[in-house]
Amino acid sequence: MTTILIPYLIAITLLTLTPGLDTTLIIRTATLEGKSKAFQAALGISLGCIAWGIVVACGLGALLMASDLAFNLLKWMGAAYLAWLGLNMILKPRSQLADIQENNPNRSTSENWFVKGFFGNLLNPKVGIFYISFLPQFIPAQASAITWVMGLVMIHVVIGVLWSSLLIMAMQPLSRYLKQPKFVKYMDRITGSIFVLFALKLALSKR
C-alpha cells in the first residue's frame, strides 16, 4: 500500500500546488473578502471534488467519458458559469471594503463564495475526467474501486484544504493594505479576466 500511496501523494500534491482556477479564487477571496469567506470558498471547492469522487466511484464517470453529449453539455454549462462570474467582476467591480459590504443587509446572494467554489468545480467536467484517468493507476488489483476512489479523493481534498489554508493565512498580513477601493476594483477586474480565460479554455477543451 505504501508503494502506491507515496507516489500518489507526491503527484497529487504537485498538481494541487499548480496555480489554477481554485488558487485564483482562494487568493482573491482571502485578499478582499477575509478569512471567513475564503474558507467558505475552499470548502465549496472541496465539496465539488467530493461530489465528483462520488460520481466516479459510482461508475457514472464512465458515462461522461463515453458520451460526447454529456461531456459537452457539462463543459458548456461550466464555461458559461465561469464566464458569468468573470464578466460580473469585470463589468461590476466592487468599490467598497469587504467589511463594509459584510454589514450591508442588501448584498446579493452572488457573494456566497461557498456556492461559487462548489459550482466552479462541479460544472467542470475536466475534474471528473481527471479522476477517471488518473486514479485507477493507484488502485490495487482486487481492491474495492469505490473505497479506493473515495479514499484517494479525500486525500486530494485534505491536501487541497491544507494548501488553501496556507494561502489564506499568507494573504492576511497583506489584506489590510489591499482593501483600498481602487485595489478592490483592479483585483476584481483581474480575477474576472482570469475567470473568463478559464471559461474560454474550458469551452475549447477536448477530452
Side-chain angles (χ1 to χ4, degrees), residues 110-153:
S110 65
E111 293 302 313
N112 189 326
W113 291 96
F114 174 84
V115 172
K116 290 182 179 181
F118 176 66
F119 280 108
N121 259 5
L122 188 65
L123 294 177
N124 185 357
K126 303 297 283 187
V127 178
I129 297 297
F130 167 73
Y131 281 159
I132 293 171
S133 59
F134 184 70
L135 298 185
Q137 60 188 303
F138 298 101
I139 299 177
Q142 310 303 322
S144 169
I146 293 178
T147 301
W148 270 84
V149 165
M150 291 309 301
L152 294 173
V153 168

Side-chain angles (χ1 to χ4, degrees), residues 3 8 33-34 37 41 66 70 85-86 93 113 117-118 139 162-163 168 173:
T3 57
Y8 175 74
E33 308 285 347
K37 290 188 178 180
L85 289 179
W113 291 96
F118 176 66
I139 299 177
L162 291 174
W163 174 236
I168 292 168

Side-chain angles (χ1 to χ4, degrees), residues 21-33 37 41 80-96 101 108-117 120 181-198:
L21 179 64
D22 293 346
T23 301
T24 302
L25 182 64
I26 293 296
I27 290 177
R28 185 266 177 203
T29 310
T31 303
L32 300 182
E33 308 285 347
K37 290 188 178 180
Y81 179 69
L82 290 178
W84 175 74
L85 289 179
L87 289 174
N88 268 323
M89 290 183 185
I90 295 171
L91 299 177
K92 299 178 182 178
R94 290 153 45 95
S95 59
Q96 292 178 295
Q101 285 200 331
S108 68
T109 56
S110 65
E111 293 302 313
N112 189 326
W113 291 96
F114 174 84
V115 172
K116 290 182 179 181
K182 285 185 178 180
F183 184 84
V184 171
K185 281 188 176 182
Y186 291 141
M187 191 68 174
D188 271 2
R189 285 171 175 159
I190 291 171
T191 305
S193 299
I194 293 173
F195 273 38
V196 170
L197 289 175
F198 273 109

